Amino acid sequence: MPTDSLILEAISSLEKYISDNDFKGHDPYDGLMSPLFRLPVLKSNRTVRFISQQLIRKSPYNIRPLLGIKKGYNPVTLGLCIQAYAYLLKSGRLQGTRISADYAESRINFLTEELLRLSSRGFSGYCWGYDFDWEARYASNPAYTPTIVATGIITNALFEYYRFSKDKNIFAIIESSAEFAMKDLQKGFDGGTFCYSYSPFDRQRVYNASMKTVRLLSQVYTVNGRKDIADEAKRAAAYVAENQNQDGSWAYSKSDGREWSDNFHTGYILDCFDEYIKNTGDNEFSGILGKGYKFYAERFFKTGKNDTLIPKYYCDKLYPVDSTSLSQSVLTLARFGDTGKALMAARWGIENLSGKEGYFYYRAGRFRKSRISYMRWSNAWMFAAFSYLLLKIQGQAGKNDLV
């Protein structure tokens, strides 16, 4: 089967699966949505809740139905699907699939309305959080607590569609979210640079989260031309640049012990730097970006069988081979012109992580696969990644196109 047909078939099967399930599904981190965690102690003890959440996440079997956890309706899933439909519209490769141009447009319109309905209230602009309670190491997050990670993924998806449609109503949503980022997020300063917080309610310095704000601001700047927005984006980008390791990598965060460097968070940072540079024309961080991508391309992949490429979870550890790592690998490799390697990674995923029902598995370990279907973590990310890859194969991602 020709390569583009293989990708197109995977996209078509994924879209059908996602649509047939009304964009709803379980999530690796939704364990606290069990009715058990409304009971005394389980409702309030952070340690118990965090450990329980991790045990449910790491189980190779989906025990959620036994725990009364219903399939969720995650705003990030909706955003990633908008992104995928936008790429498909741009690629023009819709013949022979269930996805017509009119259908893709109608899905985008529906999902956008749903995102407006699901947005978190009481902030300076549109913002979003996950649809479940979750415990992080340094924060407790009730459902729909807005984060810049969720918001940044959604606004990036909307901006990809705006690039195609020039719909002013779409841009108004994105511009509103920039106000949320600038006014509601905390800022951790280091001299003249700073790191945006993960949410309005913490002071974590998580590099990929802050860079999602940088990307958002730079995208808004391309349309409204506000210099204050570009200046703020640059100061935040400079903070992450200053904290790059000598080998080109980044730790997950600063000053809180989370020193690991993993595949998909590194990919997020690289994509956001690239977007900032392209949107602002500011090449000051080009060297940082080049050094970071060199580390990423050389250290996060292993050659597989049958001309495939396996995305490693950590730079020094192959397993688990994770579906989000796979999808982000496809996105980042394709963005930086390594389309051949992106295809090799996609083929590995189709051969090793895809199920007959059209969905993608959670991850593969050294000896066993977790065949759980997670709508946000696996399927929506893969839908967006493969749709972007198809666009790149078509050679339609030019200077002023979707990038």
Side-chain angles (χ1 to χ4, degrees):
M1 181 183 292
T3 298
D4 58 345
S5 297
L6 183 70
I7 301 301
L8 197 59
E9 181 179 305
I11 290 169
S12 188
S13 297
L14 254 178
E15 196 281 333
K16 183 178 187 305
Y17 176 83
I18 293 170
S19 191
D20 285 351
N21 281 276
D22 298 320
F23 304 92
K24 296 178 181 178
H26 289 128
D27 192 275
Y29 293 91
D30 65 4
L32 299 182
M33 296 308 287
S34 168
L36 292 173
F37 294 98
R38 298 175 199 156
L39 299 173
V41 180
L42 293 181
K43 182 178 181 180
S44 58
N45 190 303
R46 284 197 59 204
T47 301
V48 171
R49 289 168 66 84
F50 180 79
I51 293 173
S52 299
Q53 174 185 274
Q54 296 304 310
L55 289 173
I56 295 169
R57 179 179 71 85
K58 292 180 179 181
S59 171
Y61 307 105
N62 190 9
I63 61 174
R64 289 164 180 79
L66 297 176
L67 297 173
I69 301 170
K70 298 178 180 178
K71 292 182 177 181
Y73 195 49
N74 196 315
V76 172
T77 296
L78 309 190
L80 289 169
C81 289
I82 289 174
Q83 187 171 338
Y85 288 124
Y87 291 149
L88 292 174
L89 284 170
K90 182 61 182 176
S91 74
R93 283 298 308 271
L94 299 172
Q95 283 116 0
T97 76
R98 55 181 263 125
I99 311 169
S100 67
D102 287 344
Y103 174 82
E105 290 275 11
S106 70
R107 293 280 84 182
I108 289 172
N109 291 335
F110 166 74
L111 293 171
T112 301
E113 290 299 317
E114 288 294 276
L115 283 173
L116 295 180
R117 182 178 67 83
L118 294 170
S119 63
S120 304
R121 301 294 189 253
F123 298 91
S124 300
Y126 283 115
C127 53
W128 293 269
Y130 299 139
D131 61 316
F132 47 80
D133 300 342
W134 57 289
E135 292 286 344
R137 282 180 172 84
Y138 299 96
S140 295
N141 301 282
Y144 299 104
T145 298
T147 69
I148 193 54
V149 169
T151 301
I153 292 170
I154 290 167
T155 54
N156 182 58
L158 291 171
F159 194 74
E160 296 289 25
Y161 179 59
Y162 171 78
R163 280 175 160 149
F164 172 78
S165 68
K166 304 303 180 186
D167 186 328
K168 293 181 180 179
N169 293 323
I170 294 294
F171 179 71
I173 299 168
I174 302 165
E175 191 172 36
S176 170
S177 293
E179 294 299 309
F180 159 75
M182 292 188 294
K183 294 178 179 178
D184 296 333
L185 295 176
Q186 308 286 335
K187 295 177 182 177
F189 285 89
D190 187 358
T193 66
F194 62 84
C195 186
Y196 287 101
S197 63
Y198 201 96
S199 82
F201 308 109
D202 65 66
R203 293 188 175 275
Q204 298 179 75
R205 299 190 183 193
V206 178
Y207 300 129
N208 84 88
S210 192
M211 284 303 299
K212 287 183 174 70
T213 313
V214 171
R215 177 177 62 187
L216 166 59
L217 298 184
S218 74
Q219 289 169 337
V220 169
Y221 170 72
T222 65
V223 182
N224 69 16
R226 279 178 50 186
K227 189 175 183 300
D228 62 315
I229 289 180
D231 289 345
E232 184 152 326
K234 180 167 185 172
R235 293 170 68 196
Y239 181 93
V240 178
E242 290 167 0
N243 283 279
Q244 185 180 43
N245 295 324
Q246 284 295 319
D247 61 4
S249 66
W250 280 275
Y252 176 77
S253 60
K254 185 172 183 177
S255 302
D256 62 13
R258 292 178 286 182
E259 297 295 326
W260 67 79
S261 177
D262 66 50
N263 185 309
F264 57 93
H265 290 112
T266 302
Y268 296 158
I269 293 171
L270 295 171
D271 286 5
C272 291
F273 263 119
D274 187 60
E275 188 80 355
Y276 168 83
I277 292 169
K278 289 177 177 176
N279 289 335
T280 64
D282 178 5
N283 291 309
E284 182 176 332
F285 307 116
S286 295
I288 295 292
L289 177 60
K291 186 177 180 180
Y293 185 70
K294 184 176 186 294
F295 177 87
Y296 180 78
E298 292 179 355
R299 298 289 301 279
F300 276 110
F301 300 95
K302 177 180 178 175
T303 302
K305 297 178 181 178
N306 303 319
D307 197 29
T308 61
L309 196 65
I310 308 172
K312 296 158 66 176
Y313 196 93
Y314 299 108
C315 62
D316 57 354
K317 182 181 177 183
L318 175 60
Y319 295 106
V321 183
D322 181 270
S323 53
T324 290
S325 292
L326 171 62
S327 57
Q328 187 58 47
S329 294
V330 171
L331 286 164
T332 300
L333 290 169
R335 170 180 281 269
F336 287 89
D338 279 333
T339 308
K341 289 183 178 179
L343 284 166
M344 291 169 66
R347 278 200 298 271
W348 188 92
I350 292 169
E351 292 174 7
N352 292 276
L353 287 181
S354 62
K356 295 180 180 179
E357 300 86 347
Y359 67 81
F360 276 76
Y361 304 150
Y362 175 35
R363 54 178 41 170
R366 184 182 299 274
F367 303 110
R368 179 170 56 185
K369 294 178 183 178
S370 175
R371 290 180 166 81
I372 302 172
S373 170
Y374 289 129
M375 195 59 79
R376 170 186 69 98
W377 190 271
S378 306
N379 299 311
W381 271 113
M382 211 69 74
F383 184 28
F386 281 14
S387 298
Y388 181 62
L389 179 56
L390 184 68
L391 174 66
K392 297 292 281 189
I393 291 171
Q394 298 305 307
Q396 308 231 356
K399 183 176 179 182
N400 297 313
D401 294 333
L402 300 175
V403 292

